[in-house]
Amino acid sequence: MGGKEKLTMQMFFAVKCVSVVCLFASQELKLKDKECERLSQVRNQLEQELEELTASLFEEAHKMVREANVKQAGAEKQLKEAQGKIDVLQAEVTALKTLVLTSTPSSPNRQLHPQLQSSGSRGSHRRGAGHIRTSSVGAAFQTSSGKPEPSTVSIQSVATEEREMDSVLFAEFLLWREHPSLDRSSAFLSRVYREDIGPCLSFTRSELSQLVQRAVENNSLTVEPVAMSALPVVKASALECGGPKKCALSGLSRVCQHRIKLGDKGSYYYISPSSRARITAVCNFFTYIRYILQGLVRQNAEQIFWEVMRLRREMTVAKLGFYLTDQG
């Protein structure tokens, strides 16, 4: 074979090799194009999902912010209302402590007991007077002086109130005072429940009466003026909760300026002045008993006994329908 033929053969093989290389390159390029197209689709899909997720997250974030603002506003409102209740309760506790520590049956504090002063002598009580008539029916207390001064002129006869200690009641009280508690099994509290608390809290609506008694015993009952209340009223039937002109306890048509709430949750019940006086009388009794349990009463047994008897009399009088009203 000559040199020319060798050169031709080499050129043929070279062209053949180039063709094969171009073919492989073309196939590889097609594969790359397909891979690029697939990756582009994946990228577009990921971008769409990311946009949807971002929008969803922003919407959820805005929703959470709105809910947080609503809850914060509600919490601030409840805080203000709770602070107002705390202020009122602290004032009541201070007044009751002052009443317990400064007032005795033999020497009552007339600034805390305005009912012990007659309408003509309130604010101007004179120690030299022999007796002071009360504004309640048939009640009078004798001062520590015992005798009127010569310069005192009595225009009308003054009735005196005498008292005599019942030995059985006093013995039951002394037995209870040795180990004071709110246990109703003691003879002392059993009698008070039977003769005073039960009848005083016995209203026409017996089921509600039992709930009221239970709340008073647990110290969880709230009495508030209707005009001052800003709390939401839990929905209940008109027959159950009464109204501004219908007492929920007695069911009678009366002007109700106060309402009660049993515990932290539940309905408000409108009550008449007479029902409020009966509930208040029982609450005053339990408050004094709790002060005794806490050791806040610094008096002898006889003084404490007569204060308990006075509170029992308040329950009896309230049960009979007598109550004081604010004048002017």
Side-chain angles (χ1 to χ4, degrees):
M1 181 180 295
K4 188 174 181 180
E5 292 178 353
K6 289 183 179 179
L7 181 62
T8 303
M9 290 295 294
Q10 289 177 355
M11 291 179 62
F12 174 76
F13 282 116
V15 172
K16 196 70 174 178
C17 290
V18 171
S19 300
V20 172
V21 171
C22 289
L23 179 62
F24 279 111
S26 177
Q27 292 178 352
E28 186 71 18
L29 185 60
K30 289 181 179 179
L31 293 176
K32 294 294 183 181
D33 289 341
K34 291 181 179 180
E35 183 68 16
C36 289
E37 184 179 358
R38 186 182 67 82
L39 292 176
S40 178
Q41 292 177 355
V42 171
R43 184 193 63 182
N44 294 336
Q45 183 178 359
L46 291 176
E47 289 179 351
Q48 183 178 359
E49 292 179 355
L50 181 61
E51 291 178 357
E52 294 176 355
L53 179 60
T54 303
S56 177
L57 289 176
F58 272 108
E59 183 179 356
E60 187 68 21
H62 285 299
K63 181 180 179 182
M64 293 175 63
V65 170
R66 288 195 300 269
E67 292 178 352
N69 291 336
V70 173
K71 290 182 179 179
Q72 181 179 359
E76 292 177 353
K77 181 180 179 181
Q78 292 179 357
L79 178 61
K80 291 181 181 179
E81 294 170 351
Q83 189 62 42
K85 277 192 173 183
I86 291 175
D87 294 340
V88 173
L89 291 174
Q90 287 179 344
E92 292 179 353
V93 169
T94 302
L96 289 172
K97 285 184 177 180
T98 305
L99 169 64
V100 172
L101 298 177
T102 63
S103 178
T104 63
S106 60
S107 180
N109 189 330
R110 286 170 173 78
Q111 293 181 352
L112 299 175
H113 297 277
Q115 68 272 20
L116 299 181
Q117 304 183 32
S118 62
S119 59
S121 61
R122 291 183 181 178
S124 61
H125 169 65
R126 294 186 300 174
R127 188 176 180 81
H131 303 86
I132 295 296
R133 295 182 64 88
T134 68
S135 59
S136 60
V137 179
F141 289 87
Q142 186 174 354
T143 64
S144 58
S145 175
K147 294 182 180 180
E149 294 180 354
S151 60
T152 303
V153 179
S154 178
I155 300 178
Q156 57 182 353
S157 61
V158 180
T160 61
E161 180 185 63
E162 301 293 339
R163 63 189 186 187
E164 180 178 351
M165 182 179 296
D166 186 284
S167 58
V168 176
L169 297 180
F170 190 59
E172 293 177 351
F173 170 75
L174 290 179
L175 186 62
W176 172 84
R177 191 166 180 264
E178 292 180 0
H179 303 285
S181 69
L182 292 176
D183 187 5
R184 297 174 57 174
S185 62
S186 65
F188 167 69
L189 280 184
S190 177
R191 180 186 296 274
V192 175
Y193 266 95
R194 183 177 63 255
E195 297 179 357
D196 303 309
I197 297 177
C200 196
L201 295 182
S202 177
F203 297 94
T204 303
R205 292 193 56 200
S206 58
E207 294 183 1
L208 182 57
S209 300
Q210 295 176 1
L211 295 177
V212 170
Q213 179 174 325
R214 193 176 309 157
V216 172
E217 294 171 345
N218 298 333
N219 199 23
S220 61
L221 183 140
T222 304
V223 181
E224 59 183 23
V226 175
M228 294 177 59
S229 173
L231 297 177
V233 179
V234 178
K235 293 183 178 180
S237 63
L239 179 61
E240 178 185 357
C241 295
K245 294 185 179 181
K246 186 174 183 180
C247 179
L249 288 168
S250 65
L252 300 176
S253 297
R254 297 289 186 271
V255 176
C256 301
Q257 299 178 350
H258 292 80
R259 65 183 187 179
I260 60 175
K261 186 180 182 182
L262 312 180
D264 296 333
K265 299 180 180 179
S267 302
Y268 285 94
Y269 301 92
Y270 290 84
I271 57 174
S272 64
S274 176
S275 299
R276 173 176 177 260
R278 291 164 65 171
I279 295 174
T280 302
V282 178
C283 288
N284 290 340
F285 173 81
F286 274 103
T287 299
Y288 189 72
I289 293 299
R290 291 190 183 97
Y291 284 163
I292 297 175
L293 299 180
Q294 297 171 8
L296 298 176
V297 182
R298 308 296 184 183
Q299 296 174 336
N300 58 44
E302 184 175 345
Q303 290 175 322
I304 298 176
F305 171 78
W306 282 116
E307 180 65 15
V308 170
M309 293 300 105
R310 185 188 68 79
L311 293 172
R312 290 189 62 184
R313 181 172 64 179
E314 283 188 357
M315 289 188 283
T316 300
V317 172
K319 167 61 180 174
L320 295 177
F322 295 96
Y323 60 91
L324 297 176
T325 57
D326 297 332
Q327 301 292 338

